[in-house]
Amino acid sequence: MIDKQWTSAADAVADIPDGASLAVGGFGLSGNPIALIEALLAQGTTGLSIVSNNCGVDDWGLGILLRAQRIRKMTSSYVGENKEFERQFLSGELELELTPQGTLAEKLRAGGSGIAAFYTQTGVGTQVAEGGLPRRYHPDGTVDVASPAKDVRTFDVAGTPREYVLEEAIATDFSLVHALAGDRHGNLIFNKAARNFNPLAAMAGRVCIAQVERLVEPGELDPDSIHLPGVFVHRVVEVGTDIPKRIERRTVATEGA
């Protein structure tokens, strides 16, 4: 029997060292592994290089690590809801590798699948391919580090020559994810929008740590309903169904609309 259950979030992240690279699940604030993030904050780990769709908001999700200045670099596709992120990036305190959202998803999937790189049309003819996107600024506002140019090749697709840009896969030291349910073998089920980046982040980490709302015995989950097999997951922590969940931007319709 392979039992991957850990007793607490603190124990599960205890060996993540300073300077580690992490793939972190979540789509906006949906599916953020907040218990694992809070445990990482509490133990004081710093100098982190994090790959995630976004960096949370100022007081939630990865935003709490950012506010404590524990993050050295972010690789993300969307960073627009975090004022502290903007401040740190423009002041030269934070490095940012801005990546198209679909490309980021595929880079994570490729990293977990043993694929070194792939070609995509996304970004052709832009600074994504040509280079020059600011990654880090000097405190005076000038560019310190810019993105490099990437290899662009022409492929004949359905009889039409098209340009494609080479994107390298992403593999990280650890990954932190949130799932609706899991078993002690690490098989996971995600809920709706939380499924967007969590399975991909899980695949990319050499050591995947999953917080689950409900932990069951092996065999209790319908095999046809499992979204991520336990081969990608190394540690599972049960956090309960009452784990706090935040809404990033609440929008309601006016009465009678």
Side-chain angles (χ1 to χ4, degrees):
M1 294 285 290
I2 303 173
D3 191 345
K4 300 178 181 179
Q5 181 180 8
W6 286 56
T7 57
S8 69
D11 289 341
V13 304
D15 62 342
I16 297 179
D18 292 346
S21 60
L22 304 176
V24 181
F27 188 70
L29 298 188
S30 177
N32 280 210
I34 190 63
L36 299 175
I37 293 171
E38 289 177 338
L40 199 57
L41 175 70
Q43 77 177 32
T45 310
T46 191
L48 297 169
S49 178
I50 296 182
V51 182
S52 186
N53 174 61
N54 63 294
C55 196
V57 292
D58 291 319
D59 61 348
W60 190 254
L62 288 171
I64 65 175
L65 288 174
L66 183 74
R67 184 178 57 190
Q69 296 189 314
R70 305 289 178 77
I71 302 175
R72 178 189 65 82
K73 177 184 177 182
M74 283 295 306
T75 301
S76 297
S77 60
Y78 178 69
V79 296
E81 297 290 341
N82 194 316
K83 293 180 181 178
E84 177 62 12
F85 191 107
E86 177 184 13
R87 187 199 67 78
Q88 289 192 25
F89 178 54
L90 294 179
S91 66
E93 300 171 33
L94 176 70
E95 184 175 343
L96 168 63
E97 186 171 345
L98 198 59
T99 305
Q101 192 166 81
T103 300
L104 180 62
E106 182 64 7
K107 284 162 76 78
L108 290 166
R109 191 199 69 82
S113 302
I115 298 169
F118 57 91
Y119 282 94
T120 176
Q121 283 190 287
T122 303
V124 170
T126 74
Q127 285 183 299
V128 169
E130 296 167 0
L133 276 174
R135 287 189 175 177
R136 182 185 289 276
Y137 285 99
H138 289 293
D140 64 5
T142 58
V143 176
D144 180 19
V145 178
S147 65
K150 298 176 181 178
D151 181 47
V152 176
R153 288 183 59 187
T154 300
F155 293 91
D156 192 326
V157 179
T160 303
R162 299 175 181 174
E163 288 189 327
Y164 289 76
V165 59
L166 182 68
E167 293 284 358
E168 295 185 5
I170 292 175
T172 59
D173 300 323
F174 293 85
S175 57
L176 309 179
V177 300
H178 173 92
L180 177 67
D183 63 26
R184 290 187 294 104
H185 287 180
N187 299 302
L188 302 180
I189 293 174
F190 303 94
N191 187 36
K192 299 181 175 65
R195 188 177 171 187
N196 277 316
F197 270 88
N198 271 298
L200 305 170
M203 292 173 66
R206 296 182 183 92
V207 176
C208 173
I209 308 170
Q211 65 171 57
V212 301
E213 296 182 38
R214 183 169 61 92
L215 185 66
V216 302
E217 292 300 310
E220 289 189 43
L221 298 178
D222 176 7
D224 251 1
S225 299
I226 291 171
H227 298 139
L228 186 74
V231 67
F232 291 108
V233 181
H234 305 86
R235 304 171 190 174
V236 181
V237 179
E238 186 174 23
V239 296
T241 57
D242 59 348
I243 187 82
K245 298 175 183 178
R246 290 275 298 274
I247 297 174
E248 187 168 0
R249 186 182 292 272
R250 186 183 297 274
T251 303
V252 297
T254 57
E255 187 174 355

